[in-house]
Amino acid sequence: MSGGEMTWDLEADVVVLGSGGAALTAAIAAHDHGAKEVVILERSGMVGGTTAMSGGMLWIPGNHHQLAAGIEESDEDVVAYLDSLAPGALDPETLWAFMQGGPEMLRFLEDNTPVRMASFSDFPDYQPYSPGAKPDGGRSLDNEAFSFARLGKWGARVNPSKMAYPLRGSLIEATRGTLDEATLAEREAGDFRGLGQALVGSLFLGVIERNIPVEFEKRARKLVKDGERVIGVVAEDANGKDFRVRARRGVVIATGGFEWNETLVKAFIRGPLTGPVSVPENEGDGLLMAIEAGAQLGNMQNAFWMQSALEFKPQHRNAKPNYMLGSDERARPGAILVNRKGKRFVNEAANYNALGKSLHAFEGGTHEYANLPYWLIIDQRYRDKYPLFNSQPGSPTPGYAIEAATLAELAEKAGIDPAGLEAEVARFNQMVRNGHDDDFNRGDTTYDNFYMWGDMAFDPPYRTLGMIDQAPYYAVKMEAGALGTAGGPKTNADAQVVDWSGNPIPGLYAAGNAMAAVLGEVYGGAGGTLGPGLTFGYLAGKHLGTHISNH
């Protein structure tokens, strides 16, 4: 859309589209680096996007908390690790920008906003066996608990969490059991929250303290250009009317991915994506605007995969289905994943992004995806001891779980081959007795036995390996879910969107899951999306604040 003699409803130096972690970081960085008039346009009535619903961790190699803990880092190790996971697929310019900008972004946020992070010093990289990995952790950062009382009335505007962990403390505190009753009572009284709630809450307070306005229920639809330059955006308000905002310096697209847009998913993603766990507003609005503006696209076939299960009730808005995170249940002792033949097909304790790719194995003879559909299989011992998604031990069987007295009956009810399931459980149980998973080596790495999903009452490999032999048995149909898509407009090292000739489109920036992921299909460790996302939000804001245009 051309600017012409357009009448503007609002003008600012910088317009940020979206309000997740990358967007809020971009707005704060732009303001602090010289763009005094910044505005955020948010499609929904809530802030935080998928960041608020997540674990909120950041994967930042070489961060100052890591170094202070005595965990050394080298550029060579980082490059070796990432390159081993995506050989020859990463862009050196943007990779270097992430490696340099990540630690700088973290220091900036901790020096200038309420954001406070800590090194999750023993959280291993997701592929701990790869060259350059940190098998004993250091690159992943956790949020300190943040008091929502500091947000006042604005606290009600933050998206709720989807995480199963206690929210009154940090993830480190929750998993290590370091919160006593007195501390928990104080946290409760102050409405303290950890995880993605802490990250978004502290970033949102930084936005509020700077008097950066958030325009709610303003769905960005069209970018406005003057020649080649993006000079503003046309949004749609809650009544369907146009809301035109001029951007004197530029627009940052940070609207999340396109995982809720069935047309875009079918057009681009490498295989079925059936159960997104992100906010339902992630329908590719930013992608469509960038395409129209002439942006070069990248990494469009990939997503940040996450196993999920349908809960059978609407999300908190838009009446869209609610898919529950499935990162923990499958990795605990006494759980396996099987396909329709009743066969295991993966190390159930593998990281969720890598496991997600195994769901796209295709059988040419039958012309079917070999591992879709698939099910989580557990027994009563598991049910008595561990949570099953949002259902606690001892509670009635939830509606999303199938229960049966025998494995054969369970298979019949679920649509699994009964003989195949019985044989597979028998084989698995024998491998548990022998102390090793000969089929998929589950329990062989520090990641498999990490205490966030394993059972620390046992020694490896039994933190993740356990028998399935106590009736009744249970099955939960699982989905090929995703935290978000990983493709979008390509950017340079300053987060400027580039065209098909590789030249920056003046006035247009992208960050978070709305941009082509700087690490491609790689998920380096906990916080593998948010680390790069916030970094490029920071780089976008920094460039917008320091590069003043004549337009």
Side-chain angles (χ1 to χ4, degrees), residues 43 49 124 148 200 322 476 524 526:
R43 171 178 166 174
F148 265 53
V200 168
N322 184 43
V476 178

Side-chain angles (χ1 to χ4, degrees), residues 27 76 78 125 159 180 186 193-194 233 284 350 388 449 522 541 551:
E76 292 77 14
V78 178
D125 282 344
N159 272 329
D180 57 36
E186 291 177 6
R193 306 182 194 182
V233 63
L388 181 65
N449 291 288
V522 174
H551 293 261

Side-chain angles (χ1 to χ4, degrees), residues 19-21 46-57 148 158-165 167 194-201 259-260 276-282 306 315-317 321-325 482-483 530:
S19 68
M46 308 286 281
V47 301
T50 305
T51 307
M53 304 167 78
S54 74
M57 295 182 71
F148 265 53
V158 177
N159 272 329
S161 178
K162 270 200 172 183
M163 301 298 290
Y165 303 101
L167 286 179
L195 318 178
Q197 294 283 290
L199 181 58
V200 168
E259 59 274 8
W260 284 95
V277 296
S278 59
V279 289
E281 290 81 21
N282 287 357
M306 166 60 76
Q315 285 234 50
H316 53 280
R317 54 179 177 272
N322 184 43
Y323 295 99
M324 302 175 292
L325 288 166
L483 299 167
L530 285 177

Side-chain angles (χ1 to χ4, degrees), residues 58 60-73 99-111 115-119 138-141 144:
L58 307 181
I60 305 289
N63 67 79
H64 61 276
H65 292 296
Q66 171 191 342
L67 301 179
I71 303 170
E72 297 180 356
E73 189 63 274
M99 291 168 59
Q100 296 297 300
E104 181 183 331
M105 173 274 298
L106 181 63
R107 282 193 178 276
F108 168 80
L109 289 181
E110 291 195 329
D111 288 346
V115 171
R116 297 292 180 269
M117 309 291 290
S119 174
R139 291 168 174 161
S140 291
L141 295 147
E144 293 183 5

Side-chain angles (χ1 to χ4, degrees), residues 217-218 236-241:
E217 298 185 336
K218 301 293 191 299
E236 179 181 283
D237 69 15
N239 298 314
K241 294 182 178 180

